[in-house]
């Protein structure tokens, strides 16, 4: 049988499908390698929160255990409320977070304070800043550029420098230890104003002019046209305001003189100082978990608006 010469035998070529499969596999590996720093960074953020959660559901004897366990062996809700605790003290039972404070409604009072203050500041700041942004962006008033630059320049000043002047003003007005001292100084938000002005630049001036031709007043234009168009930007800014005000600690610590007017961060700080020790970590962690849940839920609800608002703003000058 005749054998074909070697130079006449065509070399076997790899199939197009196998080449594409190898390239796709390599691309997936590269993508995962590029994401590796983000995976590691997420672990550093998740680990403390995981420790917070497991500590909340550990009984006192597990909290004092060495080495510590990473999964509760006997999960309990006693760190929130222990029905078996008595003022005389019972071995193995401690006050839960809702039993610790000698004020009306206990820890619920601090949650109410934080919710009321955060909601009022958020709504008030967004309304005031949206109105100011509309005037600056869509009205040809004298000195508006200078005013806007001064407001933006105030962002460069550390907010800690205003603590003493604001405290003196609140004291002279007799507003210390009141909701007014919480809310009034926090309504002015330079960054929110700056962000909304940039967002309004993308709204055509012809739309505003058409409304004026139709006889709409400035208040009606702001309420009926500007605010609905600002919805994505307002949602994005609400996340920043809510997170900042809910976690605000230093200013409330300065102006609050009674336990009844404390917000959640101040109440937790006092709990930590009053009941220091490993046996009380569960109640402290329970308070921290309760304080963190509203902000997480709020962000998850408004996350898509946050992304959209940032994208549409463009942050152009």
């Amino acid at each position: 049988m005749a054998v074909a010469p070697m130079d006449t035998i065509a070399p076997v070529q790899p199939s197009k499908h196998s080449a594409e499969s190898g390239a796709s596999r390599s691309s997936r590996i590269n993508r995962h390698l590029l994401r590796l720093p983000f995976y590691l960074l997420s672990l550093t953020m998740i680990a403390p929160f995981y420790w917070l959660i497991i500590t909340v559901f550990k009984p006192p004897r597990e909290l004092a255990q060495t080495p510590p366990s990473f999964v509760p062996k006997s999960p309990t809700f006693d760190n929130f409320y222990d029905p078996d605790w008595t003022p005389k003290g019972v071995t193995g039972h401690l006050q839960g977070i809702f039993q610790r404070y000698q004020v009306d409604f206990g820890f619920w009072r601090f949650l109410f304070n934080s919710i009321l203050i955060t909601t009022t500041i958020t709504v008030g700041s967004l309304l005031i800043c949206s109105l100011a942004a509309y005037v600056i962006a869509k009205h040809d008033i004298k000195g508006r550029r200078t005013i806007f630059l001064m407001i933006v320049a105030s962002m460069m000043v550390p907010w800690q420098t205003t603590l003493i002047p604001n405290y003196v003003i609140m004291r002279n007005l007799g507003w210390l230890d009141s909701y007014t001292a919480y809310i009034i100084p926090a309504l002015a938000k330079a960054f929110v104003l700056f962000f909304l002005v940039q967002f309004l630049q993308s709204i055509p001036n012809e739309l505003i002019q058409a409304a004026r031709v139709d006889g709409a007043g400035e208040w009606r234009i702001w309420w009926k046209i500007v605010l609905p168009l600002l919805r994505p930007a307002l949602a994005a800014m609400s996340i920043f305001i809510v997170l900042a005000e809910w976690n605000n600690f230093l200013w409330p610590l300065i102006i609050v003189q009674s336990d009844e007017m404390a917000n959640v961060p101040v109440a937790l700080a006092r709990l930590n100082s009053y009941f220091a020790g490993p046996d009380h970590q569960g109640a402290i962690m329970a308070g921290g978990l309760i304080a963190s849940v509203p902000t997480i839920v709020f962000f998850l609800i408004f996350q898509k608006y946050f992304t959209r608002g940032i994208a549409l703003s463009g942050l152009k000058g």
Side-chain angles (χ1 to χ4, degrees), residues 208-225:
I208 306 297
Q209 293 297 336
R212 290 171 180 161
V213 171
D214 290 340
E218 297 301 327
W219 287 99
R220 187 176 181 183
I221 294 173
W222 169 69
W223 184 256
K224 294 290 186 178
I225 298 177

Side-chain angles (χ1 to χ4, degrees), residues 25-39:
R25 189 181 303 109
S26 177
S27 176
R28 287 197 302 269
I29 294 174
N30 289 335
R31 286 199 300 269
H32 285 296
L33 289 176
L34 289 175
R35 294 172 184 172
L36 183 60
F38 297 100
Y39 296 149

Side-chain angles (χ1 to χ4, degrees), residues 224-282:
K224 294 290 186 178
I225 298 177
V226 174
L227 278 183
L229 292 174
L230 280 176
R231 190 176 303 165
L234 294 176
M237 290 297 97
S238 68
I239 294 178
F240 288 106
I241 299 175
V242 166
L243 291 178
E245 298 304 330
W246 183 267
N247 297 320
N248 193 6
F249 172 72
L250 186 55
W251 176 246
L253 181 66
I254 294 174
I255 64 169
V256 168
Q257 299 173 346
S258 63
D259 290 337
E260 290 78 6
M261 290 304 301
N263 63 353
V264 171
V266 173
L268 291 178
R270 291 177 177 177
L271 177 67
N272 193 25
S273 61
Y274 291 164
F275 301 97
D279 291 341
H280 304 275
Q281 290 179 5

